[in-house]
């Protein structure tokens, strides 16, 4: 994969210092911008300044920016992700094959068990990656873009839908990379029960593919069983 095809969007809400640090580190690797969502203080280094549009609005703007700039690939990084391995991430992405359409570094801190580093030192196929730091083919985003911010402002389920589209529709790989690790700060700042409720109502009302409703029902019962979810997607 060519890094020239990538737009890296750092999405920020009141993590200004780390957002600017990430931009400084990644700017030598990819075209990089900061999209700010209603932070208390707007910094000169912010490229796009929005009111508080929550996660879904930041995702929508990231996809819009990538398309506007003619980029094939979006690298979405939340500003509450901490890392220093900028060049290593660049080199790993540059070495990805065309069969990979969603990529994410492994993680520690607040993240799902299947996204944490397993120590295998390679790419691992997973049904979806978490939404705080991931690389995705912009074409895959059509399954959800633009996300209805009123129906699902916290963006729960976007990551699951992207994984579904990647594996089920495009027959590409969705992977976690255990060769690199980032830290995701604990604490979401919102009620997860409310976010989950919005997600399931959004899926039920969204007019998405029938298979998605079945998949979300499966995910709801057994979110930790990655092998079974992958079997469903590949079937």
């Amino acid at each position: 994969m060519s890094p020239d095809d990538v737009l890296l969007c750092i999405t920020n809400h009141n993590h200004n210092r780390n957002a600017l640090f990430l931009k400084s580190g990644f700017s030598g690797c990819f075209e990089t911008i900061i999209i700010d969502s209603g932070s208390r203080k707007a910094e000169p280094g912010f490229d796009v300044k929005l009111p508080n549009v929550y996660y879904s609005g930041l995702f929508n703007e990231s996809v819009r920016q990538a398309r506007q700039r003619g980029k094939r690939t979006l690298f979405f990084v939340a500003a509450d992700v901490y890392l220093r391995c900028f060049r290593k991430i660049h080199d790993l992405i540059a070495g990805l094959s065309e069969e990979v359409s969603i990529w994410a570094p492994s993680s520690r801190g607040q993240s799902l068990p299947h996204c944490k580093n397993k120590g295998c030192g390679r790419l691992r196929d997973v049904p979806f990656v978490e939404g705080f730091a991931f690389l995705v083919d912009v074409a895959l985003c059509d399954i959800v873009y633009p996300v209805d911010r009123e129906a699902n402002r916290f963006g729960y389920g976007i990551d699951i839908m992207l994984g579904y589209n990647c594996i089920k529709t495009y027959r590409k790989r969705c992977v976690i990379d255990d060769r690199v690790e980032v830290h995701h700060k604990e604490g979401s700042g919102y009620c997860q029960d409310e976010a989950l409720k919005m997600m399931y109502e959004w899926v039920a009302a969204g007019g998405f593919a029938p298979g998605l409703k079945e998949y979300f029902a499966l995910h709801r019962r057994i979110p930790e069983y990655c092998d079974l979810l992958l079997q469903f997607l590949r079937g």
Side-chain angles (χ1 to χ4, degrees):
M1 180 180 295
S2 172
D4 292 338
D5 291 334
V6 175
L7 177 66
L8 194 151
C9 293
I10 300 160
T11 57
N12 180 56
H13 178 69
N14 292 326
H15 291 278
N16 296 13
R17 183 176 180 180
N18 196 51
L20 293 168
F21 174 75
L22 292 171
K23 183 179 181 182
S24 175
F26 274 126
S27 290
C29 303
F30 309 100
E31 183 177 348
T32 302
I33 63 172
I34 294 176
I35 303 173
D36 184 69
S37 177
S39 291
R40 288 185 292 269
K41 179 182 179 184
E43 304 284 354
F46 293 172
D47 301 278
V48 180
K49 300 172 186 177
L50 304 172
N52 190 359
V53 293
Y54 295 91
Y55 183 94
S56 292
L58 286 166
F59 173 81
N60 287 343
E61 182 63 21
S62 297
V63 174
R64 191 185 77 81
Q65 289 287 335
R67 288 180 168 174
Q68 180 177 294
R69 296 162 190 258
K71 299 294 186 179
R72 173 187 167 190
T73 308
L74 168 65
F75 192 0
F76 184 104
V77 180
D80 62 349
V81 169
Y82 294 86
L83 61 96
R84 293 183 178 275
C85 44
F86 304 107
R87 179 53 58 176
K88 183 174 185 179
I89 287 176
H90 167 275
D91 293 346
L92 291 173
I93 288 173
L96 292 175
S97 69
E98 290 295 319
E99 66 182 355
V100 174
S101 284
I102 298 178
W103 174 95
S106 66
S107 54
R108 51 191 169 84
Q110 183 171 311
S111 62
L112 293 169
H114 75 268
C115 296
K116 293 184 183 295
N117 197 302
K118 306 298 183 186
C120 70
R122 58 176 173 80
L123 300 177
R124 288 186 289 111
D125 287 279
V126 294
F128 64 94
V129 302
E130 289 209 77
F132 51 77
F134 65 97
L135 186 87
V136 60
D137 284 356
V138 173
L140 289 183
C141 299
D142 286 341
I143 194 171
V144 292
Y145 175 81
V147 179
D148 184 337
R149 292 196 293 115
E150 293 300 317
N152 186 17
R153 64 179 175 274
F154 300 118
Y156 266 39
I158 292 174
D159 47 6
I160 300 170
M161 283 199 177
L162 291 176
Y164 179 96
N165 207 24
C166 174
I167 302 168
K168 190 76 171 176
T169 306
Y170 282 80
R171 296 297 176 181
K172 294 292 188 77
R173 295 181 69 189
C174 174
V175 299
I176 293 287
D177 198 333
D178 275 354
R179 297 172 294 179
V180 65
E181 184 179 76
V182 302
H183 178 80
H184 182 225
K185 185 178 179 180
E186 290 84 354
S188 59
Y190 54 84
C191 175
Q192 294 196 12
D193 288 342
E194 180 186 3
L196 283 168
K197 181 176 182 292
M198 292 184 77
M199 178 184 81
Y200 288 116
E201 291 176 351
W202 173 60
V203 172
F208 301 113
L212 265 170
K213 292 185 180 181
E214 182 184 355
Y215 180 59
F216 266 79
L218 181 68
H219 170 270
R220 188 173 193 172
R221 293 197 304 270
I222 46 171
E224 68 276 25
Y225 294 165
C226 285
D227 289 344
L228 190 54
L229 293 176
L230 282 170
Q231 183 179 354
F232 174 92
L233 291 171
R234 291 168 174 165

